[in-house]
Amino acid sequence: MLVAAAVCPCPPLLVPEVAAGAAPELDVARAACADALGVLAAARPDLLVVVGPAEKPGRGVFPQGSRGSFRGFGVDADVWLGSGEAGERELPASLAVGAWLLERTGWADAPIEGLGVGEPLEAERCVRTGREIAGRAPRVAMLVMGDASACRTLKAPGYLDERAAPFDAEAARALGTADLAAIKALDADLAYQLKASGRAPWQVLAGAAEDAGLAGALLHDDAPYGVCYLVATWS
């Protein structure tokens, strides 16, 4: 059963070495992520599942000890999903950022697994995946990585799209109130057009939270670089 969740953005720029001189611009977001992970630790889960967008379609499972790297972003640094080393498959960027957040906060409270979710994964399958995750252990926690739209300004990765701000506002409201119906109803096609990588992971969370009775809290909502970064907790 799901007992707690943290929703965090997944830009590699969260890692100060990647952001370099621009690192201070995301200090507030980093602090919010640390607070969110504190909620996960306080829940004392039996299992932590880190879910994030992946480049490949479908679902990819990554065991504890899987390695991630930021070399593709010009930084000679590796991270691991929990202790140990496992497998040859490298973590997708979103899960590497999640692993970095866990290392930064010194996570050692429960076994960890990773799940990469391909962008085209339809809402119904996302929800079904979440239900499966919730049944993995008596007390399951989730770290859910993903960004809202990337179309908030003219210089944003997806350029300016007038639909982005309303989409982000609804996502922030739904995540901040743990509104499962609203999260399940997020339009996958619109999210894709707005480059909102969090849509599928959020819908996995919504499936996992069914019947859990969790309350939500929005800790951070900002759109630097024209990309909306949201941090929320469910407990």
Side-chain angles (χ1 to χ4, degrees):
M1 180 177 181
L2 186 71
V3 295
V7 176
C8 293
C10 62
L13 288 174
L14 271 182
V15 180
E17 292 81 1
V18 175
E25 297 177 16
L26 291 181
D27 280 348
V28 174
R30 292 186 193 96
C33 290
D35 290 342
L37 265 64
V39 171
L40 298 185
R44 298 185 179 280
D46 303 311
L47 172 68
L48 173 64
V49 180
V50 185
V51 182
E55 293 78 13
K56 295 182 179 179
R59 303 182 302 177
V61 178
F62 298 85
Q64 179 162 321
S66 294
R67 182 183 66 85
S69 171
F70 297 109
R71 288 187 175 87
F73 303 96
V75 175
D76 185 13
D78 292 334
V79 290
W80 282 266
L81 193 63
S83 60
E85 297 184 23
E88 298 296 326
R89 297 174 61 217
E90 186 171 302
L91 294 170
S94 65
L95 298 189
V97 174
W100 177 83
L101 288 172
L102 291 166
E103 285 187 1
R104 181 172 181 257
T105 55
W107 180 272
D109 297 83
I112 306 174
E113 293 181 7
L115 178 67
V117 182
E119 175 60 34
L121 201 67
E122 63 274 13
E124 184 176 332
R125 191 176 174 195
C126 290
V127 170
R128 192 162 62 244
T129 297
R131 292 173 184 149
E132 294 170 0
I133 290 173
R136 293 286 311 283
R139 297 181 64 81
V140 176
M142 292 177 64
L143 172 56
V144 182
M145 310 298 296
D147 303 335
S149 80
C151 300
R152 290 284 291 272
T153 66
L154 292 174
K155 294 184 178 180
Y159 197 66
L160 176 64
D161 191 314
E162 294 181 354
R163 300 171 297 174
F167 177 92
D168 292 342
E170 174 60 7
R173 185 203 65 78
L175 291 170
T177 58
D179 186 338
L180 306 189
I183 294 170
K184 293 176 183 178
L186 289 174
D187 189 310
D189 289 335
L190 177 60
Y192 181 77
Q193 293 170 33
L194 297 177
K195 301 185 181 298
S197 66
R199 188 276 308 174
W202 298 339
Q203 289 180 332
V204 172
L205 170 60
E210 292 176 347
D211 303 321
L214 302 181
L218 186 66
L219 306 187
H220 182 73
D221 178 357
D222 196 12
Y225 320 117
V227 183
C228 182
Y229 299 144
L230 303 173
V231 181
T233 59
W234 292 13
S235 60

